[in-house]
Amino acid sequence: MSDTVEESKQHTDGAQTHGFQTEVRQLLHLMIHSLYSNKEIFLRELISNASDAADKLRFESLSQPDLLGDDAELKIRIEYDQSAGTVSVVDNGIGMSRDELIENLGTIARSGTAEFLKQMSGDNKKDASLIGQFGVGFYSAFIVADRVVVESRRAGLAAADGVRWESDGQGEFTVSPVELERRGTRIQLFLKEDEKEFADAFRLENLIRKYSDHIGFPVSLAGGDEEEKVVNSATALWTRSRSDITDDEYKEFYKHLSHDFADPLTWSHNRVEGKREYVSLLYVPSNAPFDLWNREAPRGLKLYVQRVFIMDEVEQFLPLYLRFVKGVVDASDLPLNVSRELLQQNPDLSSMRSALTKRVLDMLQKLSQGDDYDAFWTQFGQVLKEGVVEDPASSDKLLKLMRFSSTALDDDAQTRSLEQYSEAAADGQDKIYYLLAENHATAAASPHIEKLKADGIEVLLLTDRIDPWLADSMREFEGKTFVDAASEKIELPDSAGEMTQEAANEEHKPLLKKVRKVLKDRVEAVNISQRLVDSPACVVAGENDLSPRLKQMLEASGQELPESKPVLEINISHPLLQRLDRETDDQRFTSLSNIVLDHALLAEGSQLDNPAEYVSRMNNLLLELDSDSSHS
Ligand code: ADP
């Protein structure tokens, strides 16, 4: 038995009481309170689970036909009893053994759930959308029921191995043995006093039609005086032709598939014929799941072969950076006994994978033409950036999907595409300038881009954690090359009429030599800057050096980096540098030179190696200021 279930009490009749795992208690509590206005979704969730159970049995019966016995038609039945105030969802699917029942309906297996639940605020509306990201499920039964009884018998087990699970959703559940004539699961909801309206033929029929029309198994309704009747059309949605499917049906199917209760942002449904024949139905959710960044989190598409469910979470169909995509692939020519190992080794699969990747990127390209793309980018932009790093073959398509903060925009909430950058660039500008920084404010105020800004040249501001790697992978976009505005060699456009760096260095040789001598332990070189306007100085990375931002990040993560010194650039027209140039006192010259360098480092968000020394220099300078003024 599971060790995560908290306590258990043995009763004389063979029943055993268990406490729910803490996370389940919290989830139950939140669900009942925050999903109140969405309560009817309980039926969708229970029908989804029943359909999954039928899928699993059909799959297991491929290798063990006996499991089906004399009950081979897999189906789902909704029963209601108006006078008793009950609704039941009954399936003849795979069922659960005693241990499975305790594990599945007493714990939540997804790692990170506890932290996720901590984010809940108590604000019902906000929490409702958070729970949507988590995916609701069986526990949603307690939104409308104050008592739930589950009876289940695992396919292949004997009638005497049936189990009954019962709970009021308050903190405990009881499990007891029960004789069950048939395999499968019955979930009976004892509706709360004010939810009894659900035990009604008309209401249920509408809900079943809404939630299960696209499910590949018949769903029937039984109760009252009426005869049992099948309510849905019982054809798997993706097998139908696109023109016969409404948007609402696509959306409902997504919710069935994902347990998300927000609509998807977009989807793409295609039939591929030829060497490999398959149907794919791919969805982009509107919210990132809470465990998007957890590398072990479930992800991937559902695989069917000729409508038979084979397995969940098939990761081989899409690259990791498209892990947010949900959907179904129904391949008609894969063997029914295909295994994960076989999928991994199947060389044909790589062409399917690149075709599906292309499908998703095309779908995103279409999405990017409309208003929903901002929402997509906020949720998934950082994941998509991984693609530029990991999938050079798709680089052209991916770069078009990137969005950036930019000096051409008023605030950091807005973004631009590279196409917009290109269009806005002056004729003849063959570079795309970018700057890496820790945050938007540091980037926007960075000395490195003063000249570019003054000349009206747009600079993209890259501040995400992944951006140093992204920048490293961005080589060229539509004929323009990417240039780091903080790199040592930077060609500014249209520098005609201005001196080259070599000439400027030559003109100020004595000063440069003196500064270099004083700072020789701290900098690689000192140059006259071409890129500064208002600031006295900045540091840039040497030609073969890591970018300063990447260095900061690697250092912060505790990595030892090889010793490397930055290049100092000074702005010779700045009064502070002119003051330095005139300085005759050696000690003052040394002190001022060091402060100029310290300030350049601080301005780009770097740490000083010796902050105490800086403070003492600065204090001396301030004291001099004081004695200067008291003498005057
Ligand atoms: P999810 O469906 O997201 O995994 P649920 O809380 O809805 O989460 O269900 C937990 C587990 O209980 C399911 O993964 C499944 O193994 C099992 N389960 C739920 N309903 C049924 C059912 N009708 N038949 C068999 N197993 C079920």
Side-chain angles (χ1 to χ4, degrees), residues 166-181:
E166 178 169 353
S167 178
D168 60 4
Q170 295 298 314
E172 293 182 333
F173 60 91
T174 300
V175 179
S176 46
V178 62
E179 277 272 325
L180 291 178
E181 213 181 301

Side-chain angles (χ1 to χ4, degrees), residues 272 276-282 299-306 308-335 338-340 342-361 391 394:
V272 175
R276 275 247 91 93
E277 299 202 350
Y278 62 91
V279 176
S280 62
L281 173 52
L282 307 170
R299 57 173 143 263
L301 306 178
K302 263 189 186 216
L303 173 64
Y304 286 74
V305 171
Q306 295 164 39
V308 177
F309 167 76
I310 306 294
M311 61 183 114
D312 265 323
E313 296 160 30
V314 183
E315 298 182 0
Q316 287 82 1
F317 289 131
L318 288 172
L320 192 60
Y321 70 89
L322 297 179
R323 59 183 172 271
F324 53 86
V325 174
K326 303 251 194 264
V328 171
V329 170
D330 189 340
S332 41
D333 51 5
L334 281 175
V338 65
S339 63
R340 277 185 207 274
L342 223 69
L343 282 175
Q344 245 137 23
Q345 292 152 7
N346 193 334
D348 284 359
L349 220 65
S350 74
S351 67
M352 225 164 128
R353 179 184 159 110
S354 37
L356 289 168
T357 302
K358 185 172 170 300
R359 271 274 178 256
V360 175
L361 297 181
D391 183 8
S394 305

Side-chain angles (χ1 to χ4, degrees), residues 538-595:
C538 66
V539 288
V540 299
E543 211 173 347
N544 301 315
D545 241 7
L546 297 177
S547 77
R549 175 73 189 126
L550 187 55
K551 245 163 78 178
Q552 282 167 19
M553 286 177 55
L554 293 174
E555 273 163 2
S557 72
Q559 283 204 42
E560 290 272 346
L561 298 177
E563 187 67 34
S564 73
K565 290 180 273 184
V567 173
L568 178 68
E569 286 194 1
I570 54 175
N571 176 4
I572 198 63
S573 48
H574 194 280
L576 193 57
L577 271 300
Q578 290 174 354
R579 157 93 166 71
L580 186 71
D581 203 11
R582 290 193 305 270
E583 183 58 62
T584 49
D585 180 296
D586 281 353
Q587 211 184 335
R588 273 230 194 120
F589 187 90
T590 304
S591 188
L592 266 177
S593 302
N594 274 290
I595 288 173

